[in-house]
Amino acid sequence: MAKVFVNVGLSLDGYLAPEGMTLENWDNPGHKNWAAKWGAMMGWVFNQQYFRENLKLGPGGETGPVNEMLKQTTERIGANIMGKRMFEGGERGWPEEAPFHTPVYVLTHEKREPWVRPGGTTFYFVNSSIEAALEQARASAGERDIRIAGGADVIQQYLNAGLVDELAIALAPVIFGGGRRLFENISDLVPGFRIDRVLDTPLATHLRYVRA
Amino acid sequence: MAKVFVNVGLSLDGYLAPEGMTLENWDNPGHKNWAAKWGAMMGWVFNQQYFRENLKLGPGGETGPVNEMLKQTTERIGANIMGKRMFEGGERGWPEEAPFHTPVYVLTHEKREPWVRPGGTTFYFVNSSIEAALEQARASAGERDIRIAGGADVIQQYLNAGLVDELAIALAPVIFGGGRRLFENISDLVPGFRIDRVLDTPLATHLRYVRA
């Protein structure tokens, strides 16, 4: 069966996003220094050949194991699931060709027709449960896997429901001092994880956990 | 000059200690399941030959790179610094031969004469600042290094003051769901760290950061 996975960048102090990185301050990257912090956390990805090519950032870039991991991760995704706030941020920030190229299930109370973008991304708006969104994602993903894209609250809901098979974290040695934590409101009754793979690189430690 | 370092075990969700692991519940390891959680986080250390020998837990144990790391870490310590609550827990829980074998500087408001234990541990009670405690620790440690032993609030104070040269974390794939976080009340202005070394083992990922 298709796997459900999460892959995120994380600051050393456990934040997915720094304080100030909100929709309201999207056009003000200096607000609480959010863009510099986020850029420092994600610096490793901007160095990868596959990422640069996909986002049309220019030639070059690393082609080692991290690049291979990025490529494999992207290629395994058959559907994405995300929360309303992440969608709203992206609706504003993504290019017309949204960077998913799969069906994307958006958890929201808003009733809205599917929104088809060039390049294979269609956003579907799910008004019921996280389980229902996962069912729809599974149906459209076929043999491929389902990525819980974010934000933090959606990831936490899927973790708490015991629905996450794999958790991949790129832990960067950056201190945010505040922001949105990955691990908050997590029940200690969630199924445990075991360490599956560690990639040791200068800018981030790539940790992958699978359900124990 | 001697280095100031922190080395701690951490749950995947960022806790040094699970909820319920307090002085009041020290004799009740079932309280909120604290002992099982803490044991799962620290399982890796109980497997190490050096640790077993030091705590007289019996023969055997691993003798690989993690064991070597433990040995080197212990041998480099010339003095320890800890907070009042950690001391109070230990005063109750440590054997007569307290497991430090160095001077230990306890940050507290209590005025108290030094407390000499068999085996080379003497506790000194420091009533002034974290800087003063560090000065005293440096003076007694000589060429050797100073370990900020904990708890969380003391580590946070030294991090915020920019006084920590090295931060070593044994990150275990265990979810606590609550407790005392390592990274809380940390200023984003603290000097940054870079990844210095990663040891990938089945039960924990040993991450070491040094000041960038």
Side-chain angles (χ1 to χ4, degrees), chain A:
Chain A
M1 193 160 83
K3 299 278 187 199
V4 178
F5 75 97
V6 168
N7 68 320
V8 292
L10 203 65
S11 73
L12 178 54
D13 49 349
Y15 297 100
L16 288 171
E19 215 189 323
M21 188 176 175
T22 60
L23 206 51
E24 295 74 43
N25 296 301
W26 208 253
D27 297 329
N28 183 7
H31 181 73
K32 302 198 176 199
N33 214 18
W34 75 255
K37 288 177 174 178
W38 190 82
M41 178 174 83
M42 299 305 291
W44 64 271
V45 83
F46 290 94
N47 291 347
Q48 303 303 319
Q49 186 271 332
Y50 183 76
F51 184 85
R52 298 181 62 79
E53 183 185 312
N54 254 18
L55 266 74
K56 303 181 174 63
L57 300 179
E62 295 176 22
T63 56
V66 173
N67 194 60
E68 192 53 35
M69 174 193 75
L70 271 182
K71 185 166 182 289
Q72 286 174 6
T73 300
T74 304
E75 289 175 358
R76 67 187 282 202
I77 302 175
N80 281 275
I81 296 176
M82 71 178 59
K84 166 195 160 74
R85 268 183 306 195
M86 184 173 176
F87 171 75
E88 286 175 350
E91 193 177 14
R92 188 157 161 183
W94 293 316
E96 193 182 355
E97 188 175 314
F100 298 98
H101 316 292
T102 72
V104 178
Y105 295 87
V106 181
L107 288 156
T108 176
H109 293 291
E110 186 188 1
K111 293 191 192 309
R112 179 167 164 181
E113 289 301 303
W115 188 40
V116 183
R117 304 273 72 201
T121 302
T122 299
F123 294 95
Y124 297 91
F125 301 89
V126 182
N127 306 135
S128 53
S129 64
I130 61 166
E131 289 83 3
L134 182 54
E135 278 310 298
Q136 294 178 48
R138 278 196 198 281
S140 67
E143 306 261 302
R144 286 196 292 163
D145 295 328
I146 292 121
R147 179 182 180 222
I148 311 298
D153 57 336
V154 169
I155 294 173
Q156 289 156 11
Q157 287 180 56
Y158 279 98
L159 280 170
N160 277 330
L163 293 170
V164 176
D165 299 307
E166 283 184 33
L167 175 58
I169 295 171
L171 188 66
V174 177
I175 303 275
F176 281 0
R180 274 191 309 247
R181 287 196 189 272
L182 171 58
F183 294 110
E184 191 116 72
N185 311 314
I186 299 288
S187 163
D188 56 355
L189 302 176
V190 299
F193 289 95
R194 64 176 172 79
I195 301 168
D196 181 52
R197 189 202 58 200
V198 174
L199 283 182
D200 173 17
T201 78
L203 293 185
T205 310
H206 299 274
L207 306 158
R208 189 170 67 192
Y209 303 95
V210 299
R211 282 265 282 281

Side-chain angles (χ1 to χ4, degrees), chain B residues 81 107 126 128-137 157-158 161 163:
Chain B
I81 296 175
L107 289 156
V126 182
S128 53
S129 64
I130 60 167
E131 288 82 4
L134 183 54
E135 278 311 299
Q136 295 178 46
Q157 288 180 56
Y158 279 98
L163 293 170

